[in-house]
Amino acid sequence: MNIRQLQFFYRAACLGNFSATARAENVTVQAVSKSMHELEEEVGGQLFEREGRGVRLTPLGEALLEPARKAVESFESVGRLADAWGKGPTPRSDLRLALVTPPFSKHGFICGIVARLMTQSLGIKTSLSVRIGAEALADLRAGNLDALFTIGRLSAPECTCAQVGTVTPGVFLGRRHPLRGRRQLSFADLAPYPVLWNDEIDGFNETVLVTCRRHGLSSPLEHVGTNEGVVDHLESRNGYIMGVNLKALSILPFAAMHDLDPAEAPVIPVCLVLLEGPRRPEVERLDQFCRNEFFLLKGLINSGGAVAGY
């Protein structure tokens, strides 16, 4: 395994296409395919599945994505440091963005689609990753990221938080939940059942759960911090998860997204978080694009994937 293979893998996961990856890396499609085949042999399984003209990650590919991203970014940071040694800082001309949410189904593929749309619309090379809040905020302040997208408002020193759109909340239920047969649920229906709370997520910003609790949701909180705990919460404890109401979140038959009664469902803002102070022209263009064209991004997410509240 080498860094070039991981670079090709991460780029292909973000772009969802080997041809686009080859163009971005200035190599042939055959070189990308060969590297991916060699990487699959080393990790012992298939990383991509063909999907029309593109590719999507397999479960093994999803598991490898985050370690690959960190390895590639670490390698690139060493290269930038070496290039800049004795020359002073060199301003970047790209955009590095993060969606503050736990990883969700097909998140690498969806981030690649959104990043490609923004690259084409802005004329600026753009990357988008999924990150947990505290880590993402630290990278924003360190200059490793240019902006964050949050589901719900964020109040943080030295940052601005501007609403660029809205989403509606939904209820994620396991297959054995007593309310599974009902499509639309009220806060009263949900009150007897525990709702998942994660300190790293719901303690960071005004998430879907935090907002719903302010509007009357009274379910007991169940503090969960592991994937195994999430499964147990849904499968064994009749718990549920609050999230963005997108049916693509459903993982049938294991769990499904249900509507929240519109009379009770609060509007959840989607926000663009930037550092205060002077900004690069590329970041200013991003700001204007998000304020004016969020409906394009929302349409892509609605059609191809989903963002969860956990």
Side-chain angles (χ1 to χ4, degrees), residues 81-92:
L81 179 62
D83 290 341
W85 183 257
K87 300 178 183 179
T90 302
R92 289 192 290 106

Side-chain angles (χ1 to χ4, degrees), residues 27-95:
V27 298
T28 65
V29 176
Q30 290 76 14
V32 174
S33 297
K34 182 175 182 292
S35 290
M36 293 304 92
H37 178 69
E38 292 172 347
L39 183 57
E40 287 176 333
E41 286 190 336
E42 290 195 45
V43 299
Q46 188 176 354
L47 297 173
F48 293 99
E49 292 181 358
R50 295 284 179 180
E51 192 173 67
R53 294 185 177 180
V55 294
R56 64 181 179 86
L57 290 170
T58 63
L60 176 59
E62 292 275 5
L64 183 62
L65 183 61
E66 184 63 11
R69 180 191 66 77
K70 291 180 178 179
V72 170
E73 288 188 357
S74 295
F75 180 81
E76 290 178 347
S77 68
V78 172
R80 289 193 297 269
L81 179 62
D83 290 341
W85 183 257
K87 300 178 183 179
T90 302
R92 289 192 290 106
S93 59
D94 64 336
L95 287 170

Side-chain angles (χ1 to χ4, degrees), residues 147-163:
L148 311 179
F149 292 103
T150 59
I151 312 298
R153 297 190 182 279
L154 170 67
S155 177
E158 303 175 350
C159 293
T160 64
C161 179
Q163 179 175 325

Side-chain angles (χ1 to χ4, degrees), residues 282-300:
E282 293 85 358
V283 178
E284 292 291 352
R285 288 173 64 184
L286 168 71
D287 189 7
Q288 291 302 312
F289 173 80
C290 291
R291 291 172 187 267
N292 297 327
E293 307 294 342
F294 176 77
F295 71 94
L296 291 177
L297 304 180
K298 186 175 179 180
L300 278 176

Side-chain angles (χ1 to χ4, degrees), residues 115-142:
R116 182 162 53 188
L117 169 68
M118 299 182 77
T119 296
Q120 294 172 347
S121 300
L122 295 169
I124 303 168
K125 182 180 177 182
T126 302
S127 61
L128 176 65
S129 59
V130 166
R131 309 286 280 276
I132 299 299
E135 173 193 340
L137 185 57
D139 276 343
L140 177 67
R141 287 174 169 156

Side-chain angles (χ1 to χ4, degrees), residues 77-206:
S77 68
V78 172
R80 289 193 297 269
L81 179 62
D83 290 341
W85 183 257
K87 300 178 183 179
T90 302
R92 289 192 290 106
S93 59
D94 64 336
L95 287 170
R96 300 173 188 173
L97 316 176
L99 176 60
V100 178
T101 178
F104 54 90
S105 176
K106 298 191 293 184
H107 70 269
F109 181 67
I110 298 305
C111 285
I113 293 175
V114 174
R116 182 162 53 188
L117 169 68
M118 299 182 77
T119 296
Q120 294 172 347
S121 300
L122 295 169
I124 303 168
K125 182 180 177 182
T126 302
S127 61
L128 176 65
S129 59
V130 166
R131 309 286 280 276
I132 299 299
E135 173 193 340
L137 185 57
D139 276 343
L140 177 67
R141 287 174 169 156
N144 299 324
L145 291 172
D146 297 300
L148 311 179
F149 292 103
T150 59
I151 312 298
R153 297 190 182 279
L154 170 67
S155 177
E158 303 175 350
C159 293
T160 64
C161 179
Q163 179 175 325
V164 296
T166 62
V167 291
T168 57
V171 183
F172 196 60
L173 299 178
R175 56 186 166 182
R176 299 186 183 92
H177 199 284
L179 299 176
R180 181 65 178 265
R182 301 179 60 176
R183 181 178 176 185
Q184 190 175 101
L185 303 168
S186 68
F187 285 162
D189 296 328
L190 296 168
Y193 303 102
V195 60
L196 184 146
W197 173 281
N198 182 284
D199 290 331
E200 289 187 37
I201 297 158
D202 297 299
F204 178 72
N205 70 301
E206 297 179 13

